[in-house]
């Protein structure tokens, strides 16, 4: 089964897709549609129903691709792993649509509706998710030395100079800024070398527990894949990310380029 996620979903139809690919609508299909924020992870029941509508069975081999340097399909990959799918059967097309169209055509022919799948998911793995309360306790309050909080967004959003898709600018106190998209080549949309990724994450020891967040779950998912590719064992998503923290309006934020400001530094 081939699954495509595009930044602008209409391009699946207007620009084209790999023949036989089923469309993944990144917000509707990969979030909890009625939650606030909407990009909390979906329930097992909702995601299982979505996968079945794509024709996914328990033994399906799934090829994922996007047009966004694998950030979109990273969210899909992480959600599949969260709910216990056999990840040995999940592959990501490095380079996505850019790599494909260098040698192949896309089609605008509609993909026939797949036969309903029968995949059965497991309960979400509690070792892959944390809530804002965990971040507040472990990072803001107790300063747990075993935990590192990573903000995967661009630097101008982290430091508060740019407010986009948010109410406030800045970051969660204690967060390091490691921009996950810096680990990809903007033109080819392929990953950079393992050595480049190692250099990006050099300040995080591999025996730490890493909490990751971004705005809505895509950049943090790319960071998740990058860290796991480097051998980090305990990497967890902040459910709802910056949207949940920022949207609460009363939780503390830091502006500037340092993890803590004067109010929160020791």
């Amino acid at each position: 089964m081939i699954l495509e996620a595009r930044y602008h979903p209409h391009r699946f139809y207007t620009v084209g897709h790999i023949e036989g690919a089923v469309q993944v609508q990144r917000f509707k299909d990969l979030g909890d549609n009625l939650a606030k924020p909407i990009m909390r992870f979906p329930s097992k029941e909702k995601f299982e129903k979505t996968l079945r509508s794509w024709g996914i069975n328990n033994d399906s081999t799934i090829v994922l691709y996007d047009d966004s340097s694998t950030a979109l399909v990273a969210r899909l990959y992480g959600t599949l792993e969260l709910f216990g799918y056999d990840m040995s059967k999940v592959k990501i097309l490095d380079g996505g649509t850019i790599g494909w169209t260098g040698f192949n055509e896309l089609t605008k022919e509609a993909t026939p509706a797949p036969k309903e799948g029968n995949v059965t998911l497991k309960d979400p793995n509690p070792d892959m998710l944390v809530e804002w309360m965990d971040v507040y306790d472990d990072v803001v309050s107790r300063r747990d030395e075993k935990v590192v909080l990573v903000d995967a967004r661009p630097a101008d959003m982290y430091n508060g100079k740019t407010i986009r898709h948010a109410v406030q600018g800045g970051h969660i106190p204690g967060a390091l800024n490691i921009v996950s998209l810096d680990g990809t080549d903007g033109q080819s949309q392929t990953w950079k070398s393992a050595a480049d990724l190692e250099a990006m994450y050099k300040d995080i020891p591999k025996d730490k527990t890493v909490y990751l967040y971004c705005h809505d779950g895509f950049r943090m998912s790319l960071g998740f894949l990058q860290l796991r590719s480097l051998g980090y064992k305990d990497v967890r998503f902040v459910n709802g990310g910056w949207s949940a923290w920022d949207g609460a309006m009363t939780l503390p934020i830091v502006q500037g380029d340092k993890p803590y400001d004067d109010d929160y530094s020791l």
Side-chain angles (χ1 to χ4, degrees), residues 40 130-137 238-239 244-245 251:
R40 288 179 59 82
V130 293
E131 300 290 340
W132 72 261
M133 303 85 77
D134 302 306
V135 177
Y136 193 92
D137 185 32
V238 178
N239 201 4
W245 192 275
L251 293 172

Side-chain angles (χ1 to χ4, degrees), residues 27-60:
F27 292 119
K28 179 179 73 69
D29 293 333
L30 302 180
D32 184 347
N33 304 149
L34 301 179
K36 291 185 179 180
I38 61 171
M39 287 309 289
R40 288 179 59 82
F41 281 91
S43 68
K44 178 183 74 171
E45 293 75 19
K46 191 254 185 185
F47 190 54
E48 185 176 87
K49 183 178 180 181
T50 299
L51 292 179
R52 289 180 178 183
S53 75
W54 295 337
I56 305 298
N57 300 314
N58 290 317
D59 61 352
S60 295

Side-chain angles (χ1 to χ4, degrees), residues 147-169:
V147 174
V148 178
L149 178 63
V150 174
D151 184 323
R153 298 175 300 158
D156 61 339
M157 295 182 185
Y158 172 86
N159 62 30
K161 292 180 179 178
T162 296
I163 300 175
R164 187 181 303 127
H165 313 307
V167 180
Q168 307 170 91

Side-chain angles (χ1 to χ4, degrees), residues 129-146:
L129 279 184
V130 293
E131 300 290 340
W132 72 261
M133 303 85 77
D134 302 306
V135 177
Y136 193 92
D137 185 32
D138 297 340
V139 180
V140 180
S141 179
R142 294 190 302 107
R143 311 292 173 93
D144 188 335
E145 294 183 355
K146 300 188 297 294

